[in-house]
Amino acid sequence: MTQDDLAEKVYQIVSGSQMERLGQDYKGDPVMMSYDGFIVVIDPSTTDHGTVYRPKDPLGEFIRLTGQVQDPSLGDGKDGTRTGSQPPGGTGGTQSGKTGAK
């Protein structure tokens, strides 16, 4: 992945088109997880304003960073219906109908 590819990937996650989960870390900084397992942490206190990486266990890493087991804005409602506009997910897998990052 080139730097331009990575910048585009971060943009797609931050803009919401590839975001599966959204939370906050212990400082209150936004943490996002994409459908294909990338984690983006926005940190305005650093010179590069955050980080992006793809861990082996994206959902486990998201939970470790945020303490959130379920994100109510993207998760299932109590009656099993979707409460957000995103398709179901939760494991950092590829969104239905889309190929994974190469």
Side-chain angles (χ1 to χ4, degrees), residues 62-94:
F62 179 84
I63 292 169
R64 184 187 73 77
L65 291 170
T66 65
Q68 286 181 248
V69 177
Q70 181 178 5
D71 183 334
S73 68
L74 300 178
D76 291 332
K78 290 182 180 178
D79 62 356
T81 60
R82 301 295 301 163
T83 58
S85 61
Q86 300 292 342
T91 60
T94 302

Side-chain angles (χ1 to χ4, degrees), residues 8-24:
E8 178 63 24
K9 182 68 169 176
V10 170
Y11 173 78
Q12 290 173 348
I13 296 167
V14 171
S15 70
S17 65
Q18 290 190 10
M19 187 187 337
E20 180 175 347
R21 292 186 179 261
L22 173 64
Q24 294 181 339

